[in-house]
Amino acid sequence: MRIQLTLWYTGILAFVLLIFSITTYYYLARATRQRTDDSLAETANSFISNFNAESTDEAQDNAANETARGFRSRDRQVIVYDARRQVVVASEKPENLGLENNWFASSELQPQLTALFASASRSGRAYGNLSLGGKTNIRVLAVAVPVGGQNYIFVFANSLRDQEQALEQAREAFYIAIPIALVIASLGGYFLARKSLAPVVVMGERAAQIGASNLDQRIPVPENNQELGRLAGIFNQLLARLDQSFAQQKRFMADASHELRTPVAVICGESEVTLSQEGRDPAELRESLAIVNDEGRRLTRMVEDLFTLARADAGEYPLVLADFYLDESVNECVRSVRSLATQKGLEVSYQPPAKEIPFRGDEALIQRMVLNLVYNAIKYTPAHGRVQVTVRQNQDKSEIVISDTGPGIPADAQAHVFERFYRVDKARSRDESLNGSGAGLGLPIAKWVAELHGGTIVLDKTNREGAAFVISLPSPK
Ligand code: ADP
């Protein structure tokens, strides 16, 4: 990325410099040419006025000779042509012109001169470039001067050598300055890219070191860099969430194995004792087997609950959606526990809503949720108590309230009852396992089912005598 940024930066700068130098060179060349032409015109004017001062009607050629002889220039030469385009006189050739003597007699130039004479005769004055030896090297100004009724042509020639040299120097300056500027700029660009990306490198290195064993570590948040600071912050939040869910998973695993150990230990202990004693009577054997069977069932339920929660966490629980009446479904649950409650000396009552409540959801799960709560109520309420199940329509939601006259839930435990494996009193929970494993998974499963259906489940804390759970489910539109 650093190299890419530097290359882009240098590329764009090179492009800008190129455009800049081409434009500059173009204007420089134009200004130089203009200057040469202006100064040629000045030379011509002063020569012609000198000539006019010298000339009399009879001796124009002489006047031309005189004026030409007096003409001195560092890099210019004037050649006077008469009406027949014969050279009358040429001023002394200056060293700087860089041409041979009588260069203007060269046959290579004749067609160029003829064209120049023609356009000067037509318009009085004409600028032109003359090429000798294949390259343009002379700038000329031809002026038609009327002499004794005839048109003489005065040609002022100026070497282009100085001009070429100036432009050549400008080109050279660009050839040298541009690469140097680019090298400096790319070094600077690389340095800047490196400096601004340095925090990313540090963040990357730190992130690479973070694994399952040290999820509590965080990525350094670069100061004075809002964008990267935000990125690091988001990364850290992600890490915090991962850390949390990882810790949760670990706790879940630890709790689950801990819970599974008890029934397995009981089964092994009971069967070992039974096997080690020979000649036990059938009643004793039956008793042992009943214990093993009980624990086996508990184990099965616990594994089922764990499996349900694991699938729920993975979002893989296979939902079976159907339309049914909520009140009817809850009533069925109440009916199914009635005999059990009677056995325990409890009274279970069901209070239906004013009107049937049509509902769409997974009926088996809804019943499992209600049963978990009803079984809890029965499990924790002592004999002669009451368990009341109410279904009611409350504005845009349906509520199922399960209340009992049991001991209720202590204030310090209220916040935790929906946590996995949480039990207020382990012995009591295990004691009479009516349903569920007694491992503290009944309420978490109920909560998951309620949330899965877009609802909530809360413990009614205003209830002072016994426990009351309120399930709220959205009414179908
Ligand atoms: P468990 O399998 O232990 O019943 P739950 O998740 O269903 O697990 O319940 C968690 C704990 O909440 C129980 O151990 C119990 O202490 C308490 N609890 C739940 N329902 C009631 C209730 N109706 N009355 C008193 N305590 C309850």
Side-chain angles (χ1 to χ4, degrees):
M1 191 166 173
R2 282 180 293 213
I3 293 191
Q4 228 174 35
L5 275 177
T6 311
L7 284 181
W8 268 105
Y9 173 68
T10 314
I12 290 172
L13 186 73
F15 180 71
V16 170
L17 283 178
L18 202 72
I19 300 276
F20 171 78
S21 27
I22 288 173
T23 323
T24 311
Y25 184 79
Y26 170 77
Y27 280 104
L28 185 71
R30 210 169 73 155
T32 315
R33 246 179 278 130
Q34 191 61 47
R35 233 188 0 256
T36 310
D37 287 358
D38 289 350
S39 118
L40 261 179
E42 246 170 60
T43 307
N45 292 344
S46 84
F47 186 90
I48 291 167
S49 62
N50 282 351
F51 167 79
N52 285 339
E54 294 265 351
S55 91
T56 51
D57 278 350
E58 301 85 53
Q60 280 97 353
D61 285 3
N62 248 0
N65 269 321
E66 281 301 314
T67 320
R69 210 166 298 134
F71 181 79
R72 288 272 177 280
S73 167
R74 205 176 63 81
D75 56 356
R76 287 188 190 151
Q77 191 175 15
V78 54
I79 304 118
V80 178
Y81 290 88
D82 64 13
R84 283 170 294 123
R85 305 302 178 239
Q86 299 299 322
V87 177
V88 178
V89 64
S91 69
E92 191 182 316
K93 184 186 80 75
E95 207 37 48
N96 263 1
L97 200 59
L99 299 167
E100 291 173 13
N101 285 333
N102 284 341
W103 55 273
F104 42 84
S106 141
S107 61
E108 190 191 342
L109 281 179
Q110 296 324 304
Q112 300 176 47
L113 283 171
T114 312
L116 188 69
F117 295 152
S119 75
S121 319
R122 233 179 297 122
S123 45
R125 264 167 195 244
Y127 285 101
N129 291 330
L130 297 183
S131 308
L132 246 183
K135 72 181 220 250
T136 308
N137 34 23
I138 313 154
R139 182 75 175 158
V140 287
L141 168 61
V143 186
V145 182
V147 175
Q150 290 181 321
N151 254 353
Y152 273 39
I153 302 269
F154 292 15
V155 173
F156 301 88
N158 181 86
S159 162
L160 285 179
R161 207 203 271 169
D162 283 359
Q163 186 178 317
E164 282 301 323
Q165 259 169 11
L167 290 179
E168 170 85 33
Q169 274 165 2
R171 279 198 301 270
E172 258 169 31
F174 285 141
Y175 291 152
I176 294 169
I178 290 180
I180 290 177
L182 284 181
V183 168
I184 293 174
S186 57
L187 286 178
Y190 183 75
F191 173 74
L192 275 183
R194 221 181 117 99
K195 195 167 140 61
S196 43
L197 291 179
V200 179
V201 176
V202 176
M203 280 161 65
E205 278 166 2
R206 181 64 67 83
Q209 287 163 6
I210 298 178
S213 57
N214 57 349
L215 264 177
D216 56 326
Q217 289 205 9
R218 295 290 173 266
I219 286 169
V221 179
E223 286 165 25
N224 317 324
N225 191 327
Q226 262 193 358
E227 290 82 1
L228 290 182
R230 227 176 89 77
L231 182 67
I234 290 171
F235 255 131
N236 284 340
Q237 285 166 14
L238 174 73
L239 279 175
R241 286 198 299 275
L242 274 179
D243 191 14
Q244 206 184 2
S245 73
F246 204 71
Q248 220 170 11
Q249 291 288 331
K250 272 206 287 207
R251 210 170 337 126
F252 186 66
M253 289 289 289
D255 287 344
S257 33
H258 182 78
E259 291 299 331
L260 290 171
R261 243 172 31 197
T262 314
V264 171
V266 173
I267 290 174
C268 291
E270 192 63 35
S271 50
E272 268 162 27
V273 170
T274 311
L275 286 172
S276 66
Q277 298 167 346
E278 276 175 33
R280 295 184 75 176
D281 67 54
E284 273 178 340
L285 281 177
R286 281 189 75 84
E287 203 179 310
S288 290
L289 273 180
I291 293 175
V292 170
N293 187 28
D294 251 14
E295 292 302 322
R297 277 168 188 273
R298 193 197 300 280
L299 206 53
T300 309
R301 282 192 299 257
M302 203 188 298
V303 170
E304 260 168 25
D305 283 355
L306 284 173
F307 187 49
T308 302
L309 283 172
R311 285 168 113 185
D313 285 349
E316 282 171 3
Y317 194 91
L319 276 186
V320 185
L321 292 182
D323 291 309
F324 60 94
Y325 289 104
L326 193 62
D327 47 303
E328 231 171 62
S329 195
V330 173
N331 194 6
E332 242 172 59
C333 297
V334 175
R335 274 203 302 268
S336 74
V337 300
R338 193 149 272 148
S339 66
L340 194 85
T342 318
Q343 267 176 32
K344 251 201 90 177
L346 295 174
E347 185 195 319
V348 178
S349 61
Y350 168 68
Q351 172 101 42
K355 223 167 74 191
E356 299 179 308
I357 302 174
F359 191 77
R360 185 171 175 75
D362 188 318
E363 190 172 7
L365 281 181
I366 293 281
Q367 288 194 328
R368 189 163 170 192
M369 165 177 73
V370 173
L371 278 176
N372 277 359
L373 294 172
V374 174
Y375 276 129
N376 270 353
I378 296 176
K379 180 158 61 172
Y380 297 110
T381 307
H384 312 301
R386 263 182 300 113
V387 173
Q388 164 94 37
V389 180
T390 310
V391 179
R392 62 187 180 214
Q393 179 86 41
N394 192 350
Q395 286 163 353
D396 57 346
K397 53 189 186 193
S398 317
E399 286 180 343
I400 307 168
V401 184
I402 294 117
S403 59
D404 61 58
T405 55
I409 293 166
D412 57 340
Q414 287 178 355
H416 304 289
V417 286
F418 291 104
E419 287 171 13
R420 292 174 186 185
F421 299 106
Y422 181 84
R423 280 161 305 179
V424 177
D425 175 351
K426 291 198 181 187
R428 193 166 54 135
S429 173
R430 223 181 110 75
D431 217 18
E432 301 161 68
S433 60
L434 291 161
N435 180 54
S437 47
L441 295 174
L443 288 180
I445 289 178
K447 183 171 187 269
W448 164 68
V449 175
E451 284 168 2
L452 192 68
H453 288 83
T456 55
I457 173 168
V458 289
L459 174 63
D460 181 1
K461 289 182 187 142
T462 58
N463 201 319
R464 295 271 164 254
E465 22 176 317
F469 288 89
V470 182
I471 302 166
S472 298
L473 295 170
S475 294
K477 302 270 173 314

